[in-house]
Amino acid sequence: MILPIYAYGQPVLRKKSMPITLDYIGLDALIQDMWDTMYSAKGVGLAAPQVGKDIRLFVIDTTQLDKKEVSPEGIKRVFINAELSDESGDPWLYEEGCLSIPDIHVEIERNPVIRLKYFDAEWNEFTETFKGVNARVIQHEYDHIEGILFIDRMKPLKRRMINRKLEKIKKGEIETNHPMRFVKTG
Ligand code: ZN
């Protein structure tokens, strides 16, 4: 089922999400809905707060990206209760966008290597190193479950330049191909 995506301005996007417990009801269905929603909106990642749930869950699929861009190769993965333990390497710039902040694409600086502990959809525990674009998409989605948006990582001057655009998104004064939930309609 395709879910509406919560737009910039929605308080749930600013909350630190809660860990998911083993007895969380409807988790499998929610994960399926998040895949449906992400693909429908043509995203490479989607975090639970973007569909209105303040839980530590996100999905990514970088296999959709150009093969040359993703090294060594793309991954399709569910991340439950992820914990970022380390970020390293020389910071690099990569253009990011966000399904909750349509039509804004900005180069953001992040570290290229991360170490992450997480559970998959079958509750298998992993501790894994991710690099490059895979790390990048995980960092973006991980920020979501911490209540952080990629625009927070912009340099203040650049951020000021998109303020008007952000206010328009907040008020729902934008056109999107995907159903969105703006703050004025709750
Ligand atoms: Zn995002």
Side-chain angles (χ1 to χ4, degrees):
M1 186 172 64
I2 293 166
L3 305 170
I5 291 175
Y6 282 56
Y8 174 77
Q10 288 279 10
V12 69
L13 295 175
R14 288 311 194 176
K15 283 175 82 174
K16 190 174 160 82
S17 292
M18 304 287 290
I20 303 171
T21 55
L22 273 165
D23 59 354
Y24 187 90
I25 292 165
L27 186 59
D28 290 343
L30 175 62
I31 290 169
Q32 188 53 55
D33 289 348
M34 284 176 62
W35 285 127
D36 295 346
T37 303
M38 185 192 82
Y39 290 123
S40 160
K42 298 183 168 40
V44 291
L46 185 72
Q50 295 183 277
V51 293
K53 309 267 185 205
D54 61 339
I55 54 171
R56 299 183 76 82
L57 165 67
F58 55 88
V59 298
I60 79 164
D61 182 359
T62 54
T63 66
Q64 306 173 90
L65 293 169
D66 188 336
K67 278 207 161 53
K68 280 175 289 182
E69 205 181 353
V70 190
S71 175
E73 57 185 27
I75 53 169
K76 180 182 171 179
R77 214 69 71 82
V78 174
F79 294 88
I80 294 171
N81 295 346
E83 281 174 47
L84 191 59
S85 58
D86 191 45
E87 293 183 279
S88 58
D90 292 335
W92 66 303
L93 286 168
Y94 184 77
E95 190 177 270
E96 297 186 26
C98 182
L99 295 176
S100 294
I101 312 173
D103 299 329
I104 292 181
H105 297 89
V106 189
E107 283 195 323
I108 301 290
E109 199 173 81
R110 297 186 194 263
N111 296 104
V113 183
I114 61 166
R115 187 102 178 127
L116 193 80
K117 191 180 110 180
Y118 66 98
F119 295 87
D120 68 8
E122 284 78 44
W123 289 98
N124 300 304
E125 188 181 327
F126 298 89
T127 301
E128 217 174 327
T129 299
F130 296 96
K131 293 175 185 172
V133 174
N134 290 333
R136 171 67 61 150
V137 177
I138 291 169
Q139 286 163 317
H140 179 111
E141 301 310 328
Y142 187 87
D143 271 354
H144 273 301
I145 62 172
E146 291 287 313
I148 299 165
L149 299 171
F150 79 104
I151 50 170
D152 302 345
R153 298 189 180 277
M154 291 172 70
K155 300 258 177 345
L157 184 67
K158 273 196 164 180
R159 165 89 186 239
R160 245 175 281 147
M161 285 163 63
I162 62 160
N163 266 347
R164 270 185 58 201
K165 228 169 163 182
L166 288 173
E167 284 307 307
K168 285 198 163 186
I169 295 171
K170 207 183 215 173
K171 293 186 206 146
E173 293 169 0
I174 48 159
E175 300 232 359
T176 61
N177 297 320
H178 192 90
M180 292 196 77
R181 193 157 288 175
F182 299 99
V183 75
K184 65 171 180 186
T185 56

